[in-house]
mmCIF file of all heavy atoms in Angstrom:
data_model
loop_
_atom_site.group_PDB
_atom_site.id
_atom_site.type_symbol
_atom_site.label_atom_id
_atom_site.label_comp_id
_atom_site.label_asym_id
_atom_site.label_seq_id
_atom_site.Cartn_x
_atom_site.Cartn_y
_atom_site.Cartn_z
ATOM 1 N N HIS A 77 -7.336 1.829 -2.663
ATOM 2 C CA HIS A 77 -7.294 3.183 -3.089
ATOM 3 C C HIS A 77 -6.666 4.111 -1.902
ATOM 4 O O HIS A 77 -5.923 4.998 -2.151
ATOM 5 C CB HIS A 77 -8.671 3.621 -3.259
ATOM 6 C CG HIS A 77 -9.415 3.056 -4.542
ATOM 7 N ND1 HIS A 77 -8.631 2.731 -5.600
ATOM 8 C CD2 HIS A 77 -10.632 2.553 -4.663
ATOM 9 C CE1 HIS A 77 -9.549 2.056 -6.426
ATOM 10 N NE2 HIS A 77 -10.669 2.024 -5.943
ATOM 11 N N TRP A 123 -13.036 9.722 -9.077
ATOM 12 C CA TRP A 123 -13.276 8.264 -9.385
ATOM 13 C C TRP A 123 -13.930 7.442 -8.206
ATOM 14 O O TRP A 123 -14.772 6.626 -8.487
ATOM 15 C CB TRP A 123 -11.873 7.566 -9.730
ATOM 16 C CG TRP A 123 -12.029 6.146 -10.069
ATOM 17 C CD1 TRP A 123 -12.355 5.599 -11.218
ATOM 18 C CD2 TRP A 123 -11.694 5.076 -9.173
ATOM 19 N NE1 TRP A 123 -12.397 4.323 -11.146
ATOM 20 C CE2 TRP A 123 -11.986 3.841 -9.942
ATOM 21 C CE3 TRP A 123 -11.297 4.926 -7.853
ATOM 22 C CZ2 TRP A 123 -11.913 2.582 -9.323
ATOM 23 C CZ3 TRP A 123 -11.173 3.763 -7.285
ATOM 24 C CH2 TRP A 123 -11.409 2.616 -8.153
ATOM 25 N N GLU A 127 -17.269 5.751 -8.684
ATOM 26 C CA GLU A 127 -17.409 4.237 -8.548
ATOM 27 C C GLU A 127 -18.447 3.914 -7.481
ATOM 28 O O GLU A 127 -19.222 3.018 -7.720
ATOM 29 C CB GLU A 127 -15.998 3.739 -7.893
ATOM 30 C CG GLU A 127 -15.943 2.253 -7.726
ATOM 31 C CD GLU A 127 -14.707 1.761 -7.154
ATOM 32 O OE1 GLU A 127 -14.098 2.530 -6.507
ATOM 33 O OE2 GLU A 127 -14.426 0.552 -7.344
ATOM 34 N N ARG A 131 -21.628 1.794 -8.486
ATOM 35 C CA ARG A 131 -21.866 0.435 -7.744
ATOM 36 C C ARG A 131 -23.292 0.521 -7.201
ATOM 37 O O ARG A 131 -24.028 -0.448 -7.262
ATOM 38 C CB ARG A 131 -20.881 0.246 -6.779
ATOM 39 C CG ARG A 131 -19.501 -0.031 -7.234
ATOM 40 C CD ARG A 131 -18.532 -0.420 -6.071
ATOM 41 N NE ARG A 131 -17.250 -0.739 -6.537
ATOM 42 C CZ ARG A 131 -16.811 -1.927 -6.996
ATOM 43 N NH1 ARG A 131 -17.693 -2.836 -7.246
ATOM 44 N NH2 ARG A 131 -15.608 -2.160 -7.431
ATOM 45 N N GLU A 203 -18.434 1.879 -18.100
ATOM 46 C CA GLU A 203 -18.100 3.272 -17.520
ATOM 47 C C GLU A 203 -17.049 3.065 -16.434
ATOM 48 O O GLU A 203 -16.123 3.680 -16.384
ATOM 49 C CB GLU A 203 -19.255 4.013 -17.168
ATOM 50 C CG GLU A 203 -20.121 4.442 -18.170
ATOM 51 C CD GLU A 203 -21.406 5.146 -17.690
ATOM 52 O OE1 GLU A 203 -21.501 5.379 -16.426
ATOM 53 O OE2 GLU A 203 -22.368 5.544 -18.458
ATOM 54 N N LEU A 204 -17.244 2.075 -15.600
ATOM 55 C CA LEU A 204 -16.388 1.798 -14.494
ATOM 56 C C LEU A 204 -14.950 1.417 -14.987
ATOM 57 O O LEU A 204 -13.933 1.877 -14.453
ATOM 58 C CB LEU A 204 -16.918 0.755 -13.620
ATOM 59 C CG LEU A 204 -16.126 0.509 -12.253
ATOM 60 C CD1 LEU A 204 -15.890 1.629 -11.415
ATOM 61 C CD2 LEU A 204 -16.850 -0.624 -11.529
ATOM 62 N N ALA A 205 -14.971 0.583 -15.947
ATOM 63 C CA ALA A 205 -13.652 0.124 -16.593
ATOM 64 C C ALA A 205 -12.919 1.357 -17.137
ATOM 65 O O ALA A 205 -11.685 1.464 -17.070
ATOM 66 C CB ALA A 205 -13.985 -0.941 -17.676
ATOM 67 N N VAL A 206 -13.720 2.279 -17.886
ATOM 68 C CA VAL A 206 -13.035 3.426 -18.413
ATOM 69 C C VAL A 206 -12.425 4.372 -17.354
ATOM 70 O O VAL A 206 -11.249 4.908 -17.443
ATOM 71 C CB VAL A 206 -14.034 4.304 -19.251
ATOM 72 C CG1 VAL A 206 -13.470 5.647 -19.640
ATOM 73 C CG2 VAL A 206 -14.429 3.499 -20.481
ATOM 74 N N VAL A 207 -13.204 4.532 -16.184
ATOM 75 C CA VAL A 207 -12.710 5.362 -15.068
ATOM 76 C C VAL A 207 -11.416 4.731 -14.535
ATOM 77 O O VAL A 207 -10.385 5.369 -14.220
ATOM 78 C CB VAL A 207 -13.771 5.550 -14.122
ATOM 79 C CG1 VAL A 207 -13.238 6.222 -12.817
ATOM 80 C CG2 VAL A 207 -14.887 6.433 -14.665
ATOM 81 N N LYS A 208 -11.428 3.463 -14.373
ATOM 82 C CA LYS A 208 -10.286 2.697 -13.771
ATOM 83 C C LYS A 208 -9.049 2.935 -14.712
ATOM 84 O O LYS A 208 -7.959 3.145 -14.276
ATOM 85 C CB LYS A 208 -10.600 1.214 -13.602
ATOM 86 C CG LYS A 208 -11.562 0.961 -12.375
ATOM 87 C CD LYS A 208 -11.666 -0.470 -12.206
ATOM 88 C CE LYS A 208 -12.530 -0.884 -11.047
ATOM 89 N NZ LYS A 208 -12.751 -2.266 -10.826
ATOM 90 N N GLY A 209 -9.337 2.894 -16.086
ATOM 91 C CA GLY A 209 -8.183 3.001 -16.968
ATOM 92 C C GLY A 209 -7.611 4.403 -16.953
ATOM 93 O O GLY A 209 -6.347 4.554 -16.950
ATOM 94 N N VAL A 210 -8.379 5.436 -16.679
ATOM 95 C CA VAL A 210 -7.942 6.749 -16.685
ATOM 96 C C VAL A 210 -7.017 6.952 -15.288
ATOM 97 O O VAL A 210 -6.053 7.519 -15.330
ATOM 98 C CB VAL A 210 -9.096 7.801 -16.585
ATOM 99 C CG1 VAL A 210 -8.646 9.169 -16.160
ATOM 100 C CG2 VAL A 210 -9.840 7.833 -17.879
ATOM 101 N N ALA A 211 -7.557 6.375 -14.183
ATOM 102 C CA ALA A 211 -6.811 6.354 -13.021
ATOM 103 C C ALA A 211 -5.436 5.711 -13.136
ATOM 104 O O ALA A 211 -4.387 6.216 -12.599
ATOM 105 C CB ALA A 211 -7.698 5.788 -11.837
ATOM 106 N N GLU A 212 -5.463 4.641 -13.828
ATOM 107 C CA GLU A 212 -4.216 3.857 -13.991
ATOM 108 C C GLU A 212 -3.213 4.659 -14.951
ATOM 109 O O GLU A 212 -2.016 4.655 -14.643
ATOM 110 C CB GLU A 212 -4.369 2.469 -14.716
ATOM 111 C CG GLU A 212 -5.116 1.534 -13.769
ATOM 112 C CD GLU A 212 -5.566 0.342 -14.437
ATOM 113 O OE1 GLU A 212 -5.447 0.168 -15.687
ATOM 114 O OE2 GLU A 212 -6.024 -0.674 -13.790
ATOM 115 N N ARG A 213 -3.775 5.396 -15.944
ATOM 116 C CA ARG A 213 -2.899 6.238 -16.843
ATOM 117 C C ARG A 213 -2.304 7.376 -15.882
ATOM 118 O O ARG A 213 -1.050 7.694 -16.043
ATOM 119 C CB ARG A 213 -3.629 6.743 -17.914
ATOM 120 C CG ARG A 213 -3.903 5.698 -19.004
ATOM 121 C CD ARG A 213 -4.354 6.369 -20.425
ATOM 122 N NE ARG A 213 -5.641 7.087 -20.225
ATOM 123 C CZ ARG A 213 -6.811 6.522 -20.310
ATOM 124 N NH1 ARG A 213 -6.915 5.265 -20.549
ATOM 125 N NH2 ARG A 213 -7.930 7.319 -20.208
#
Side-chain angles (χ1 to χ4, degrees):
H77 296 325
W123 179 79
E127 181 185 25
R131 288 185 183 280
E203 290 177 7
L204 181 60
V206 171
V207 171
K208 287 183 177 179
V210 171
E212 290 172 356
R213 287 195 298 274

